[in-house]
Amino acid sequence: MSKVTSQFQADGVLARTLTGFRARPSQTTMAEAVERALAQKSQLVVEAETGTGKTFAYLVPVLLSGGKAIVSTGTKALQEQLFHRDLPALRDALAPRKMVALLKGRANYLCLHRMNQAVAHSGELSKEQQSQLVEVRKWAQRTDDGDVGALNILQEDAAILPQVTSTVDNCLGRDCPDYDACYLVKARKKAMDADLVVVNHHLFFADMALKDVGFGELVPQADAVIFDEAHQLPDIASQYFGEAVSSRQLQELAHELKVLYLTELKDLRQLDKAADKLLGSLKDWRLVFPTDPMRGNWRDFSKQPAVQLAANVVAEHLEFLREVCKSALGRHQDLDNAYERCVQFLHKWQQLQDVSRTGFSFWFETTVRQVTLHQTPLSVADKFGGYLQRSDMAWVFTSATLAVGEDFSHFTEQLGIEQAESLCLPSPFNFNEQALLCLPRYLPQPHEREMPSALLEVVCEVLEHNETGGTFVLFTSHRMLQMIAKLLVTRTDRPLLVQGSTSKRDLLDQFIAAGNGILLGTSSFWEGVDVRGDALRCVIIDKLPFASPDDPLLQARVEDCRLRGIDPFAQVQLPQAVIALKQGAGRLIRDADDRGVLIVCDQRLVTKPYGGIFLTSLPAMRRTRSLDVALEFLDSLERTQEPTE
């Protein structure tokens, strides 16, 4: 028996030191596979369904191995949960001498230089920003790590935060006067010295793609990389191996130069003039796009004469700003940095106007005030797969949702993973007893006008029979969510929580506290949400989560498949939807004692040939076409909650 295997036995260290630990065969199997991968520096892909205990299954072998490891999670919230909740007790029990570190992206750390700049020109800030800046300065006196996430008094999107944190574009690096006191430098140094570093996927790929340069590279120093929530990797990798430039970035550059003119370079009137010209052209640039926020195909949209003219004017004014900065090089470090940014932005801007290049999706997205242009590679398999082959490292990819059935090819082919061992580990939960899957009869098709009212009636019937438990209603579009939210508010007096009304964390806290709440959410609530017990007894999904056909990146991938003679539905659209549905369904049963009903309101699961692929990928719940049967199941759960005399 290996050292790792022995930890998971009923009389092992974990059982002796961790309250509530129970040995699970699938967890031990995964831990042994991770142990082999670390020893052989090989690749491993593991689908570990809910309840397997995959976190401990990779942390234990990592803590017991030599060398340096990086664990990357899907979100900052999961990253903090892993570092603050899961890791401390395990490390104390197994490897108390191991050094561990938490590393976030630079926007999460206070930048002392930019805070001092903001103080120097606080008169230029709004009253709201000025009051927020006072709070930031107070907090700056007592913080040890500069992590702005600890600034609880401010909202996550507080207007002052961009003024007191840095970006890759405006960071001065080693030329910064506050370099030695920089919190980001200290955090990265701690990460370099640690045996185990916890990051998130965005930070990992920023470092790997050299987008977060200035302080050395983290990834090449590791002996092993473990990706949790690995199903997110293909899309995140595509973002970081592509290019993007936003009007917000250019506006921030112009505003910073105006402040520099007002405070340090008061004789350089041309600088203020050039910045104003760029700001004016960016306002006109936004006006050539539709008013409502949207995503679109940049290849097609860029053909319009008005769009081309506005883009040329932005380029012309950016060139003018670059030349003004060039004429004053050496006068101030911030100006020298701004000149470099002008050069880089101009290169990207010109690159994104050339939409004739193949192998990329060119797309844009707009908000009320901003426009971002994107160039995204259709495949990252060559780049990422090549990196895997060249590296002398162990690579572990795990998630509850990686396979379609037991086939991992959709995931591995996207990332160029060619030589990995693969494992499909079932959940230890008894889904046949704990859960019921209902596919209600007689519902309209998802695209029909009657669907919103039919969905509303299903939700209302569920609420009548789930009085003491909570209900999630998961949507594939914001439009349907808002429609149901407006209709539902007059039909129930239960706590109704709607995505967008406050932060995700606040919504979940309120939902759990309510005990019988109703939460309406879209994509961000389909995964990374863990609500146990009666607080969540029913999950309703409005329709199969196929990506919007208007999504420009999907359109490009579909076209690329057609050109290669491959069926895009089977290769791209269906696997993505299957994995997304598995994620949504995974919200229901989170513990061995959970009970509940999953209702999917989409007839295509039964009427279309591909419906079987979805169904075989879901946990082995009992199934019914009768909504009455599902409601009776909820009634039985209600009865178990009634006090006995």
Side-chain angles (χ1 to χ4, degrees):
M1 184 185 295
S2 75
K3 189 175 181 182
V4 166
T5 305
S6 66
Q7 311 302 319
F8 290 92
Q9 302 308 300
D11 59 349
V13 173
L14 300 182
R16 293 198 304 270
T17 57
L18 301 179
T19 305
F21 177 81
R22 286 183 288 188
R24 308 171 206 179
S26 55
Q27 185 179 51
T28 306
T29 300
M30 178 174 170
E32 291 168 345
V34 174
E35 182 183 26
R36 285 195 302 275
L38 296 178
Q40 298 167 6
K41 294 198 171 180
S42 57
Q43 299 164 20
L44 173 67
V45 180
V46 186
E47 177 172 280
E49 291 185 5
T50 306
T52 304
K54 60 181 167 61
T55 305
F56 281 16
Y58 63 71
L59 282 180
V60 169
V62 164
L63 286 169
L64 293 177
S65 69
K68 184 185 183 79
I70 295 172
V71 175
S72 181
T73 67
T75 63
K76 283 190 292 184
L78 289 172
Q79 184 186 2
E80 291 185 348
Q81 176 183 307
L82 182 73
F83 186 79
H84 293 297
R85 191 185 78 180
D86 300 328
L87 193 52
L90 270 184
R91 187 191 70 159
D92 291 347
L94 299 174
R97 294 187 178 181
K98 284 255 184 183
M99 291 179 61
V100 299
L102 177 71
L103 183 63
K104 300 180 182 180
R106 66 171 68 242
N108 294 279
Y109 296 98
L110 176 70
C111 173
L112 295 170
H113 177 62
R114 287 180 58 75
M115 181 184 73
N116 293 334
Q117 277 189 317
V119 171
H121 64 82
S122 56
E124 301 291 316
L125 301 175
S126 67
K127 288 186 177 179
E128 178 190 29
Q129 287 176 314
Q130 288 176 5
S131 64
Q132 290 174 351
L133 183 58
V134 171
E135 297 300 332
V136 171
R137 292 184 71 192
K138 287 179 187 174
W139 170 78
Q141 300 299 315
R142 59 180 187 271
T143 181
D144 293 323
D145 57 11
D147 184 348
V148 295
L151 248 172
N152 296 327
I153 198 167
L154 297 184
Q155 294 283 337
E156 290 180 0
D157 58 351
I160 194 61
L161 291 180
Q163 308 294 326
V164 296
T165 56
S166 72
T167 65
V168 174
D169 300 323
N170 60 32
C171 177
L172 299 178
R174 293 183 184 277
D175 296 322
C176 179
D178 294 294
Y179 180 81
D180 291 335
C182 177
Y183 292 114
L184 178 60
V185 173
K186 291 176 181 176
R188 288 187 69 99
K189 185 179 185 307
K190 191 174 180 182
M192 294 294 186
D193 295 338
D195 301 299
L196 173 58
V197 188
V198 182
V199 300
N200 60 62
H201 300 340
H202 287 276
L203 176 58
F204 180 91
F205 281 103
D207 196 282
M208 184 176 172
L210 304 183
K211 292 283 181 78
D212 209 12
V213 292
F215 306 110
E217 297 173 51
L218 180 68
V219 179
Q221 290 196 0
D223 298 293
V225 179
I226 292 91
F227 291 106
D228 200 346
E229 301 293 324
H231 63 279
Q232 300 177 3
L233 291 180
D235 285 342
I236 294 174
S238 293
Q239 294 174 32
Y240 283 94
F241 288 125
E243 294 287 357
V245 63
S246 70
S247 55
R248 180 187 294 278
Q249 289 174 301
L250 300 180
Q251 286 172 344
E252 286 176 354
L253 172 65
H255 283 302
E256 286 170 25
L257 287 172
K258 283 178 68 66
V259 168
L260 196 61
Y261 160 70
L262 291 169
T263 56
E264 303 288 343
L265 303 173
K266 297 179 181 179
D267 60 320
L268 198 58
R269 181 75 181 86
Q270 280 286 81
L271 186 63
D272 191 49
K273 180 180 177 184
D276 280 337
K277 278 181 170 291
L278 179 59
L279 289 170
S281 64
L282 289 170
K283 286 180 182 176
D284 294 337
W285 167 242
R286 175 62 185 90
L287 292 173
V288 300
F289 291 83
T291 304
D292 292 336
M294 65 172 293
R295 280 184 167 196
N297 186 313
W298 175 235
R299 266 199 180 100
D300 295 339
F301 197 82
S302 65
K303 294 174 183 176
Q304 300 177 40
V307 174
Q308 292 178 356
L309 177 61
N312 290 338
V313 173
V314 170
E316 180 184 320
H317 290 162
L318 190 54
E319 284 180 8
F320 178 45
L321 186 61
R322 178 195 64 186
E323 292 306 307
V324 173
C325 290
K326 187 177 180 180
S327 69
L329 283 175
R331 291 190 58 185
H332 197 280
Q333 182 59 51
D334 288 347
L335 183 82
D336 294 354
N337 173 262
Y339 169 73
E340 295 296 333
R341 289 159 66 193
C342 279
V343 171
Q344 291 170 6
F345 283 143
L346 189 58
H347 173 72
K348 283 185 186 179
W349 187 265
Q350 291 166 340
Q351 189 179 27
L352 285 159
Q353 307 309 312
D354 178 12
V355 295
S356 61
R357 288 168 293 134
T358 57
F360 296 94
S361 168
F362 290 91
W363 55 287
F364 67 86
E365 58 183 338
T366 64
T367 63
V368 174
R369 294 184 179 84
Q370 308 296 339
V371 181
T372 306
L373 301 182
H374 296 268
Q375 168 194 302
T376 305
L378 297 180
S379 171
V380 297
D382 289 343
K383 278 192 175 182
F384 189 74
Y387 194 95
L388 294 185
Q389 291 172 12
R390 291 190 301 273
S391 71
D392 183 29
M393 299 159 64
W395 297 83
V396 178
F397 305 85
T398 186
S399 171
T401 54
L402 287 179
V404 178
E406 293 192 0
D407 181 9
F408 288 93
S409 60
H410 171 70
F411 174 75
T412 56
E413 287 173 5
Q414 287 186 87
L415 291 175
I417 303 169
E418 296 177 352
Q419 300 169 337
E421 177 189 355
S422 60
L423 276 177
C424 245
L425 299 174
S427 171
F429 299 155
N430 186 349
F431 282 100
N432 193 51
E433 291 293 326
Q434 292 178 245
L436 180 69
L437 169 61
C438 178
L439 312 172
R441 289 190 185 94
Y442 313 125
L443 288 178
Q445 293 297 328
H447 64 277
E448 293 178 341
R449 282 188 311 176
E450 298 82 8
M451 188 60 202
S453 58
L455 177 62
L456 178 68
E457 293 310 313
V458 170
V459 173
C460 289
E461 286 195 68
V462 165
L463 295 180
E464 287 179 19
H465 294 262
N466 187 28
E467 291 185 11
T468 61
T471 304
F472 266 13
V473 189
L474 300 178
F475 297 87
T476 56
S477 74
H478 286 278
R479 181 178 149 275
M480 181 67 91
L481 181 150
Q482 295 300 335
M483 195 181 301
I484 297 298
K486 286 179 183 176
L487 296 169
L488 193 56
V489 74
T490 61
R491 299 282 296 271
T492 182
D493 56 2
R494 303 253 288 274
L496 179 60
L497 305 162
V498 181
Q499 181 177 340
S501 59
T502 183
S503 72
K504 180 178 177 180
R505 185 178 299 174
D506 284 346
L507 285 174
L508 284 173
D509 288 345
Q510 291 179 48
F511 180 78
I512 293 168
N516 68 340
I518 312 147
L519 193 150
L520 311 186
T522 57
S523 56
S524 64
F525 282 90
W526 285 63
E527 59 181 277
V529 174
D530 189 1
V531 180
R532 302 182 182 215
D534 293 323
L536 180 55
R537 273 203 214 134
C538 184
V539 173
I540 302 171
I541 292 176
D542 72 332
K543 66 175 182 177
L544 296 178
F546 286 106
S548 168
D550 297 330
D551 182 88
L553 185 54
L554 176 65
Q555 288 177 347
R557 284 176 174 160
V558 165
E559 183 61 26
D560 183 60
C561 282
R562 287 181 179 139
L563 292 172
R564 292 187 288 131
I566 297 170
D567 178 7
F569 182 76
Q571 186 75 16
V572 177
Q573 293 159 288
L574 183 60
Q576 284 182 355
V578 168
I579 288 169
L581 184 66
K582 286 171 71 174
Q583 281 287 342
R587 297 316 97 213
L588 182 64
I589 303 298
R590 308 296 300 174
D591 190 88
D593 298 321
D594 283 356
R595 301 286 186 275
V597 174
L598 171 65
I599 302 175
V600 184
C601 300
D602 194 326
Q603 296 296 306
R604 291 175 294 179
L605 274 174
V606 180
T607 60
K608 295 292 184 181
Y610 56 74
I613 298 174
F614 282 97
L615 292 174
T616 55
S617 292
L618 292 175
M621 308 175 187
R622 283 179 293 147
R623 297 178 193 165
T624 180
R625 296 293 321 277
S626 168
L627 183 60
D628 288 338
V629 171
L631 298 177
E632 286 170 13
F633 187 84
L634 287 171
D635 286 338
S636 72
L637 300 181
E638 288 283 313
R639 288 193 291 272
T640 62
Q641 297 303 306
E642 292 175 3
T644 56
E645 297 187 9

